[in-house]
Amino acid sequence: MPGFLITDIDDETLSKMAKVVAHCMNMREGEAVWIRSGLHTWRFAEHIRYELLMRGVTSVATFSSDWFVERAYKDVPKEHFARTPKEERALAEAVDGVITIEQPWDPLVMARLPREKLDARTAAFYPIRKIILSKKWCYVGYPSKPMADAFGIAYEDLRKLIIEGMLYDPEKLRADCEKVAAALRGADWVHITDEFGTDLELRISGRRINLDDAIISDEDVAAGDTGANLPAGEVFIAPIETVGEGKLYCPLTRDRFTRRLIKGVTLVFKGGRLVLDECRAEENEEDLRQTIERCMRIDEEKVRAGEIPELRTINVAELGIGLNMAIDKAIGYILTDEKIGGSVHVAIGANKTYGGTSESTLHWDFVTAPKATVEVIYMDGSSKVIMEEGKLLL
């Protein structure tokens, strides 16, 4: 059996993880789910399908392999990637929820793919992405040895971050999320600082507060918050996109398309927008710039076509506070990095599903070191420090 089809995660653990996924989706009897994944996660996907079916929820799973992805992007003409797949669109429209499990098996495959074909696929998939984001959706992490190699960490460490992060005490997570959400209610501004140069003020007055507490509740759906990540563990909000000043330092992130590691990123915001000429990275700065600029070009085309109202690729999109104490190490994997207890993350690009006003093909999170200080300034001018040097004070 090929290596990517062999799982070293035992069935008992996969079952526990699948129960967390099914609980998070909170589907109703008679509903249907589409599971999108890579072949290497087939056994995990089957556990999820079992847990869903036990709840009276049917599902269909679609898989692809690194072999197919690499060969297709090498041989298939760009114009074929520019066509929106009607079968995926039909699936997205037919189901009530979508679960996406981490792929590919080896993330470095993405770095070898032609950018122009990736751009074409991104643009063509955008209508499907909009449909998915209008349903219940969950993005689920899954470890692999090539993934650990790509992040430069031991496979056991990656497994620990993802699996223990997913199985983290749900009651404590929910309680901490509620405390932070309560402290943010009635806030006007949030001021984030750290010893590495972060000094950023964002305005959040009137914006919805979202709790990533491992369940898409009926209340979440009623408020328009239909998505989740696993591992979970953050409170996040869409700041006002056209205001906000200062700098944010992100020790490491990963390119959204090539998956190359980008280290020592300093983002500069003025009027809620990135000042690209002043943004820097200590390593692979060109990847950072190329991806943002390419997404800006895709979004510009969509503005001209009337598909999105205005260009918001580089506007501030999200402010999040990490609360999962089982995740304590940044590795450049945004799914776990943004949940690190004591960290803050800020994203650019799309944010309508969070209660914002921006549409974009890009959503890119940048996470601080886990030593952030967060001060909340209220409408009456009073203020409160809710996190100091990474320690929650609530």
Side-chain angles (χ1 to χ4, degrees), residues 151 153 161 250-253 261 327-333 336-338 340 343 367-370:
F151 289 144
I153 66 169
L161 287 170
C250 170
L252 72 165
T253 185
L261 198 64
I327 303 173
D328 57 3
K329 180 180 181 181
I331 60 172
Y333 181 41
T336 56
D337 286 4
E338 68 178 5
I340 296 171
S343 71
V367 187
T368 69

Side-chain angles (χ1 to χ4, degrees), residues 110-152:
M110 303 303 293
R112 299 193 288 269
L113 305 183
R115 271 190 174 264
E116 65 276 8
K117 293 181 182 180
L118 285 171
D119 291 348
R121 165 66 175 172
T122 299
F125 193 75
Y126 183 73
I128 300 169
R129 181 171 176 265
K130 287 186 71 174
I131 297 168
I132 290 172
L133 294 179
S134 72
K135 311 287 181 85
K136 285 186 177 180
W137 60 268
C138 185
Y139 194 96
V140 185
Y142 191 86
S144 72
K145 290 180 180 177
M147 184 182 181
D149 291 342
F151 289 144

Side-chain angles (χ1 to χ4, degrees), residues 311-323:
L311 187 67
R312 288 284 186 87
T313 320
I314 58 174
N315 286 71
V316 63
E318 179 190 359
L319 166 66
I321 298 171
L323 297 169

Side-chain angles (χ1 to χ4, degrees), residues 11 13 72 78 99 106 125 130 144 223 237 299 305 309 344-345 347 351 383 385:
D11 279 322
T13 301
K78 175 184 170 182
I99 297 168
D106 180 0
F125 193 75
K130 287 186 71 174
S144 72
I237 192 165
D299 286 351
V344 168
H345 57 276
N351 70 356
S383 65
V385 175

Side-chain angles (χ1 to χ4, degrees), residues 126 129-130 133 137 202-204 207-210 223-227 236-243 269 272 299 308-320 346-365:
Y126 183 73
R129 181 171 176 265
K130 287 186 71 174
L133 294 179
W137 60 268
L202 299 173
R203 195 169 196 183
I204 64 169
R207 289 300 174 89
R208 189 178 80 212
I209 299 165
N210 306 284
D225 180 15
T226 61
F236 60 102
I237 192 165
I240 296 175
E241 297 85 356
T242 54
V243 296
F269 289 90
D299 286 351
I308 57 177
E310 61 181 299
L311 187 67
R312 288 284 186 87
T313 320
I314 58 174
N315 286 71
V316 63
E318 179 190 359
L319 166 66
V346 171
I348 56 171
N351 70 356
K352 287 197 78 172
T353 59
Y354 307 155
T357 61
S358 294
E359 295 184 56
S360 173
T361 52
L362 179 68
H363 180 90
W364 195 345
D365 298 88

Side-chain angles (χ1 to χ4, degrees), residues 236-301:
F236 60 102
I237 192 165
I240 296 175
E241 297 85 356
T242 54
V243 296
E245 311 282 330
K247 295 182 179 181
L248 180 129
Y249 180 78
C250 170
L252 72 165
T253 185
R254 204 162 275 275
D255 185 87
R256 298 295 291 163
F257 298 117
T258 68
R259 307 294 178 93
R260 289 192 188 95
L261 198 64
I262 304 171
K263 293 184 178 180
V265 178
T266 297
L267 302 180
V268 179
F269 289 90
K270 290 183 182 176
R273 287 168 59 89
L274 277 186
V275 184
L276 276 177
D277 290 344
E278 297 181 26
C279 296
R280 297 286 182 267
E282 295 162 12
E283 187 176 311
N284 288 331
E285 182 178 312
E286 191 59 28
D287 286 278
L288 175 74
R289 292 185 182 280
Q290 279 190 9
T291 290
I292 293 173
E293 289 169 355
R294 283 174 178 268
C295 286
M296 287 180 72
R297 287 195 290 271
I298 294 171
D299 286 351
E300 285 167 352
E301 287 293 328

